[in-house]
Amino acid sequence: MKITLKHLTKVFANAKTKTEVVAVNDLDVEIPSGKLIGLLGPSGCGKSTTLFMLSGLEQPTSGNIIFGEDDVTTLAPEKRGIGLVFQNYALYPHMTVEQNIMFPLENMRVPKEEAKQRAFDAAKLVQIEDLLKRKPSELSGGQQQRVAIARALVKMPSVLLLDEPLSNLDARLRLQTREEIKRIQQETGITTVFVTHDQEEAMSICDSIIVMKTGIVQQMGHPQEIYDDPANLFVANFLGTPPINVFTGEIKNKAVYIGDEKIIDTEFEDQEIYIAIRPEGFIFDQENGVLTLSREHIEVMGRDKSVVSTHKNSQKPTVRSIIDSDVVLPEDVKQLKFNIKSNKIFLFNKDSEMRLK
Ligand code: ATP
């Protein structure tokens, strides 16, 4: 089921302080049918509010929500054909796993035998069919989250909404469960919206990501496309581990400068800019390198190593460059020189922070 959001806006008014918060500001996107879409952004950017409006738990201030061809903006949550999974699994502790999964079907008055079969099928899909007789307290966090997902799927929803579903899991389980979510989504083909503040999580499993900041969409696209072609400095900064390196600099006479070092030629006019370079964009070249960094220490990462260094024009305390572990760095040289790969460097106007086009 395709989802269309038309100028969706949510304003929260605080009667006490007489202030307003625009949680979601003119969200205008189309979510293609059968895809896994990530709503990504820092805390407070409006991700959950968007999800709540999709679910019907929150009413928009203005704009429309269209599922397929139907406008569902004012439709009650239970009539929207959605499955919802939250960060806290919200399972009923006194019920067994099976009863928890069957619960939504009781409300829908599905006959007992059919409900049992559907609960089993949903449990099988998330691979917990052996745990049906247990109580939630007898399950691990990852298993509890699977029960919550099965409970959302048992209704056979046409849209699945996941709000930070992995937040309560430890690092290993997060990794495993996110792959599970991808598998389940692919097997069922249900249009799924996945809210997260974790860029790595969104990039690894989503077909497309919507990056938000202060209620406003910054960019939407395939994870690789956004990584390779960020629209503005915020997006460039938000995606990537280790994060992108940002320098202040300028364009002078058709060349990009960081301090007094000329980094690359450019066709753009003279202006002050931010220069962002991905960690993997540095090539060590002590003879002909265009950018000099003061080496601090080296982090061994296995296949690669990360050179941690400093530069007076860097926005962050350190600059990180990832280089192949085979590359030999001179032992006692403090000033290391690098060339920069042209597809790993991005230029942003200093005032607007928009990418130079
Ligand atoms: P988080 O990752 O921390 O959950 P989020 O991106 O999901 O953040 P929202 O919960 O959607 O962000 O909140 C967006 C903005 O709206 C925030 O500034 C928040 O304080 C505000 N907000 C959310 N719910 C309400 C409410 N019921 N009343 C007033 N303001 C609200």
Side-chain angles (χ1 to χ4, degrees):
M1 167 108 70
K2 179 179 85 175
I3 304 173
T4 313
L5 305 181
K6 281 193 182 159
H7 303 291
L8 197 65
T9 299
K10 179 71 188 181
V11 181
F12 289 109
N14 186 324
K16 255 194 200 154
T17 57
K18 296 210 165 82
T19 52
E20 284 188 340
V21 177
V22 185
V24 177
N25 194 344
D26 201 23
L27 184 59
D28 211 36
V29 295
E30 195 163 285
I31 295 172
S33 180
K35 298 287 183 198
L36 176 55
I37 303 298
L39 267 182
L40 176 69
S43 182
C45 74
K47 309 178 293 288
S48 299
T49 306
T50 303
L51 204 78
F52 288 163
M53 288 194 283
L54 279 168
S55 72
L57 293 172
E58 198 76 75
Q59 268 299 303
T61 309
S62 58
N64 296 79
I65 302 169
I66 296 152
F67 284 1
E69 303 303 323
D70 302 327
D71 191 320
V72 299
T73 315
T74 55
L75 207 63
E78 61 277 11
K79 299 212 169 121
R80 292 191 183 197
I82 47 152
L84 249 179
V85 179
F86 294 105
Q87 173 178 340
N88 58 349
Y89 327 117
L91 302 177
Y92 297 108
H94 60 284
M95 292 186 187
T96 63
V97 167
E98 184 179 45
Q99 288 165 336
N100 265 286
I101 300 174
M102 280 168 63
F103 188 73
L105 300 181
E106 272 176 37
N107 288 346
M108 291 161 67
R109 297 183 200 287
V110 174
K112 190 92 187 262
E113 278 315 301
E114 186 191 335
K116 258 180 168 311
Q117 184 60 45
R118 278 170 64 172
F120 180 79
D121 293 343
K124 198 153 187 262
L125 188 66
V126 301
Q127 297 175 343
I128 50 162
E129 69 272 27
D130 298 336
L131 307 175
L132 286 170
K133 298 297 168 210
R134 291 206 201 165
K135 293 270 175 65
S137 60
E138 297 165 323
L139 303 178
S140 71
Q143 289 167 336
Q144 290 185 42
Q145 192 54 298
R146 283 167 194 241
V147 178
I149 295 171
R151 188 178 54 185
L153 290 173
V154 80
K155 292 182 283 182
M156 299 178 184
S158 41
V159 174
L160 184 62
L161 304 172
L162 309 172
D163 192 6
E164 302 259 9
L166 310 176
S167 296
N168 288 349
L169 308 179
D170 68 38
R172 236 189 74 232
L173 256 182
R174 278 181 86 114
L175 213 72
Q176 201 184 333
T177 314
R178 81 184 187 202
E179 279 159 20
E180 279 291 289
I181 287 176
K182 179 78 183 167
R183 178 187 62 78
I184 293 161
Q185 194 277 327
Q186 282 183 327
E187 267 183 54
T188 57
I190 299 175
T191 308
T192 302
V193 182
F194 177 83
V195 162
T196 179
H197 62 271
D198 183 331
Q199 55 89 23
E200 207 179 323
E201 208 161 271
M203 285 185 74
S204 61
I205 62 166
C206 295
D207 297 308
S208 189
I209 299 178
I210 300 171
V211 185
M212 293 179 74
K213 177 192 170 196
T214 57
I216 300 171
V217 172
Q218 305 293 302
Q219 194 167 1
M220 178 175 177
H222 185 272
Q224 193 68 49
E225 187 183 300
I226 297 184
Y227 184 83
D228 290 339
D229 200 9
N232 59 35
L233 185 61
F234 174 83
V235 175
N237 257 319
F238 203 75
L239 268 69
T241 332
I244 203 161
N245 302 289
V246 182
F247 302 88
T248 50
E250 59 183 328
I251 297 175
K252 262 189 319 196
N253 303 325
K254 305 285 176 197
V256 171
Y257 285 84
I258 298 178
D260 49 19
E261 290 183 303
K262 180 180 159 183
I263 309 299
I264 47 163
D265 291 325
T266 178
E267 83 253 32
F268 298 114
E269 296 303 315
D270 288 8
Q271 59 191 295
E272 294 202 356
I273 53 170
Y274 287 114
I275 299 141
I277 306 173
R278 294 267 179 227
E280 67 276 23
F282 294 84
I283 307 162
F284 176 65
D285 183 350
Q286 196 63 1
E287 268 184 31
N288 299 313
V290 293
L291 182 66
T292 311
L293 301 174
S294 299
R295 156 201 194 138
E296 292 295 317
H297 62 274
I298 311 289
E299 288 175 347
V300 177
M301 300 165 74
R303 193 165 45 88
D304 306 313
K305 56 189 164 198
S306 165
V307 183
V308 180
S309 44
T310 56
H311 190 287
K312 65 178 170 40
N313 289 50
S314 170
Q315 279 209 311
K316 293 171 201 143
T318 54
V319 177
R320 268 170 205 278
S321 34
I322 305 283
I323 57 172
D324 200 283
S325 61
D326 297 340
V327 175
V328 180
L329 297 168
E331 277 291 328
D332 45 3
V333 178
K334 176 99 170 134
Q335 302 297 314
L336 298 174
K337 285 180 173 278
F338 295 87
N339 280 318
I340 312 296
K341 292 179 191 164
S342 59
N343 62 341
K344 297 289 178 185
I345 177 166
F346 309 113
L347 311 178
F348 302 94
N349 178 272
K350 188 116 181 241
D351 296 324
S352 67
E353 300 191 355
M354 295 304 288
R355 178 101 169 269
L356 299 187
K357 295 273 180 219

